Amino acid sequence: AEWIAREVARVERGRKIFVWGAGRPTRKRAAHLEPHGVRIAGYIDVDVKKATGAIGGTGAPVIGPGQIPPPGELFVLGYVSSRGARELIRGELTRRGYVEGNDFLMCA
């Protein structure tokens, strides 16, 4: 978490931090970033049942991949560890013009 927080601080440039993955395990892992100064503004999830104004007591919204704004507004942390998720997330963000290391990091 400390290394990820340092990388986020280096490249986020005032953008909102969103975590890709809104399941309980992902939210628990992402919560370790908060003591290091990373404020999670929201989550992205492919499961439309998780789309909500605030999830799991976090107060943070969950959006679907189709709602991701153009690059420059968000910095995304890919936290889903299930098989094939890394490729799906990387592919979706890259198609939208996000650049790995500049606009998003794969953390799981």
Side-chain angles (χ1 to χ4, degrees):
E2 186 177 346
W3 178 87
I4 294 168
R6 278 197 313 265
E7 285 300 300
V8 168
R10 186 179 67 77
V11 295
E12 59 90 19
R13 292 179 226 106
R15 294 177 282 182
K16 292 179 180 179
I17 309 300
F18 268 60
V19 171
W20 193 304
R24 184 174 289 140
T26 298
R27 292 193 320 267
K28 282 182 151 184
R29 284 193 308 269
H32 291 286
L33 295 169
E34 292 176 8
H36 300 284
V38 177
R39 183 184 171 281
I40 307 300
Y43 296 87
I44 302 163
D45 205 286
V46 297
D47 184 353
V48 295
K49 291 180 278 186
K50 292 179 185 164
T52 180
I55 189 160
T58 65
V62 179
I63 63 173
Q67 297 172 289
I68 298 171
E73 293 182 37
L74 301 182
F75 187 84
V76 179
L77 299 172
Y79 258 79
V80 181
S81 60
S82 58
R83 179 177 229 156
R86 179 180 284 259
E87 293 77 19
L88 177 127
I89 294 166
R90 182 179 283 124
E92 184 67 29
L93 291 171
T94 300
R95 274 190 294 284
R96 294 177 173 276
Y98 282 67
V99 176
E100 190 166 3
N102 186 52
D103 300 307
F104 71 96
L105 292 175
M106 300 308 297
C107 302

